[in-house]
């Protein structure tokens, strides 16, 4: 309604005496959660003259995720993140979109109003920018290793969900030898791919046990290229803005790099010939961020957390392949 929208835009423009006109709504392509997204924009008469404005509306519904708070896709998590103080004191290099307000609708539906960061940036990031994003994430992770206690909210996600994902993958893993002979799949499972996947699968329990023993920290848990934007912060320094906090939770040391590396490659955002270089650069940036936060532990722990979890998630946790009967 117009009164609510006027209040929200007033917060955006830091002006309580405004009048809106030329308002328009544009549907946007959403992410994997299925939550509808809209750009709501227009012009406003303000005390300083006419100003354009734009907001992003994210509609959060019960039907867009799990009802269990401990599930990785709990439908209400991002809403609760913005209602908490967990995003209030991010380190200077890391930011979240500003929340202008939350309006409750009928039948378990909430409207989350966020600042508009503009159209999706299609610019190809140089590897140095990925390394900087990793540094910003590392500094934030490091704060919860040495400076702050871990948050205790029961609705935060957890690295424990890896076991659920592996359980879902198990039927497909068992069929891999057979699938590797299928004419439509053989080219994707060529050479020694199946043997390597099965060898990794056989080692999953020892790896999970060792992963559980790593230091835990607060993580975004979905920080890959499509969920990251680059901009200048208020101090004029480069800033990484992380979108979509719906998977935020307690993770392990090094976990933040898993999706920054794996999902960025999955969307072909980095040249295949530079994968090893990207690996080295983002890991060095991440450790630099940990050190900046004051963590002085063994960097090999972060390396193990990153590589072992990436292997399980991207190597055997996601491709739960099963042919239709």
């Amino acid at each position: 309604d117009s009164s609510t929208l006027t209040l929200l835009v007033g917060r955006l423009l830091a002006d309580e005496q405004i009048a809106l006109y030329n308002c328009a709504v544009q549907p946007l392509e959403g992410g994997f959660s299925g939550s509808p997204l809209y750009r709501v924009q227009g012009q406003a008469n303000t005390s300083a003259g006419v100003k354009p404005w734009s907001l992003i509306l994210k509609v959060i519904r019960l039907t867009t995720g799990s009802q269990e708070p401990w599930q990785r896709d709990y439908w209400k998590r991002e809403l609760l993140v913005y209602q908490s103080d967990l995003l209030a004191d991010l380190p200077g290099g890391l930011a979240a979109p500003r929340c202008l307000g939350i309006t409750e609708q009928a039948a378990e539906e909430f409207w989350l109003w966020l600042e508009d960061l503009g159209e999706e940036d299609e610019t190809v990031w140089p590897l140095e920018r990925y390394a900087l994003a990793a540094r910003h994430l590392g500094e934030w992770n490091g704060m919860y290793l040495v400076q702050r206690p871990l948050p205790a909210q029961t609705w935060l996600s957890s690295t424990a969900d890896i076991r659920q994902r592996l359980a879902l993958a198990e039927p497909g893993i068992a069929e891999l030898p057979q699938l590797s002979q299928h004419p439509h799949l053989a080219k994707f499972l060529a050479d020694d791919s199946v043997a390597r996947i099965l060898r990794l699968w056989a080692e999953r329990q020892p790896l999970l046990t060792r992963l559980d023993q790593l230091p835990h920290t607060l993580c975004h848990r979905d920080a890959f290229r499509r969920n990251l934007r680059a901009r200048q912060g208020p101090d004029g320094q480069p800033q990484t803005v992380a979108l979509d906090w719906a998977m935020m939770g307690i993770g392990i040391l090094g976990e933040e790099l898993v999706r920054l590396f794996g999902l960025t490659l999955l969307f072909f955002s980095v040249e295949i010939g530079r994968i090893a270089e990207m690996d080295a650069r983002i890991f060095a940036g991440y450790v630099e961020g940990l050190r900046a936060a004051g963590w002085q532990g063994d960097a090999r722990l972060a390396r193990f957390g990153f590589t072992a979890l990436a292997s399980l998630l991207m190597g055997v946790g996601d491709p739960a392949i099963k042919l239709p009967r």
Side-chain angles (χ1 to χ4, degrees):
D1 62 85
S2 59
S3 60
T4 299
L5 192 57
T6 300
L7 176 64
L8 295 168
V9 176
R11 292 173 184 168
L12 176 70
L13 302 178
D15 190 336
E16 296 181 357
Q17 304 299 320
I18 65 170
L20 307 182
Y21 65 98
N22 288 343
C23 299
V25 179
Q26 173 192 0
L28 301 176
E29 182 180 348
F32 294 114
S33 70
S35 297
L37 284 175
Y38 303 91
R39 173 173 285 116
V40 185
Q41 58 190 348
Q43 293 179 298
N45 283 321
T46 75
S47 56
V50 175
K51 291 185 177 182
W53 57 269
S54 185
L55 296 171
I56 296 297
L57 167 61
K58 186 171 187 177
V59 180
I60 298 178
R61 296 172 176 152
L62 178 64
T63 55
T64 58
S66 170
Q67 298 183 41
E68 302 294 339
W70 51 271
Q71 293 280 7
R72 61 190 297 267
D73 62 340
Y74 177 48
W75 75 280
K76 210 173 182 181
R77 185 175 295 115
E78 187 169 22
L79 177 73
L80 296 171
V81 167
Y82 275 104
Q83 288 178 328
S84 74
D85 60 356
L86 294 175
L87 302 180
D89 55 354
L90 296 171
L94 184 66
R98 181 185 171 199
C99 179
L100 283 306
I102 297 170
T103 53
E104 184 174 359
Q105 310 300 313
E108 299 289 349
E109 179 174 304
F110 297 84
W111 291 6
L112 182 63
W113 297 90
L114 303 170
E115 70 170 310
D116 189 354
L117 298 175
E119 297 293 338
E120 183 176 349
D121 184 7
E122 298 291 347
T123 303
V124 176
W125 276 11
L127 295 188
E128 294 82 2
R129 190 60 186 82
Y130 283 101
L132 183 59
R135 187 196 188 284
H136 293 156
L137 291 165
E139 185 174 358
W140 179 52
N141 287 178
M143 287 178 156
Y144 286 92
L145 293 172
V146 296
Q147 301 176 24
R148 303 175 183 170
L150 289 175
Q153 286 90 336
T154 58
W155 43 261
L156 288 170
S157 65
S158 167
T159 306
D161 63 22
I162 178 62
R163 287 177 168 80
Q164 301 164 16
R165 298 179 70 176
L166 292 177
L168 291 173
E170 189 163 5
I173 296 296
E175 292 189 359
L176 276 180
Q178 174 190 349
L179 295 177
S180 66
Q181 306 302 313
H182 193 282
H184 296 308
L185 298 175
K187 63 180 179 180
F188 301 110
L189 298 169
D191 302 323
D192 63 343
S193 297
V194 172
R196 295 170 65 193
I197 291 173
L198 293 178
R199 188 163 63 247
L200 176 60
W201 181 258
E203 294 293 326
R204 69 191 184 281
Q205 292 303 335
L207 289 173
L208 289 169
T209 299
R210 296 300 296 273
L211 286 169
D212 286 341
Q213 296 168 358
L214 291 177
H216 286 67
T217 184
L218 186 62
C219 296
H220 181 282
R221 304 195 73 218
D222 201 20
F224 70 108
R225 177 64 181 93
R226 290 194 174 188
N227 278 343
L228 300 175
R229 301 288 181 86
R231 72 178 182 189
Q232 278 194 329
D235 58 359
Q237 297 300 308
Q239 190 175 63
T240 301
V241 185
L243 313 179
D244 196 350
W245 293 81
M247 286 181 59
M248 182 182 187
I250 307 302
I252 59 173
L253 179 64
E255 178 176 349
E256 208 74 277
L257 296 179
V258 172
R259 287 168 179 82
L260 181 63
F261 181 72
L263 291 186
T264 296
L265 297 182
L266 191 66
F267 285 98
F268 304 102
S269 300
V270 173
E271 296 176 18
I272 192 169
R274 305 191 71 185
I275 290 176
E277 184 183 355
M278 180 187 180
D279 172 10
R281 284 180 177 267
I282 64 172
F283 182 71
Y286 183 72
V287 173
E288 185 181 331
L290 294 174
R291 301 296 190 222
W295 185 77
Q296 299 302 320
D298 190 338
R300 291 176 299 178
L301 297 176
R303 184 68 186 172
F304 175 72
F306 165 33
T307 56
L309 190 58
S311 297
L312 291 172
L313 278 175
M314 309 305 297
V316 296
D318 281 339
I321 305 168
K322 195 172 181 69
L323 285 178
R325 298 300 181 189

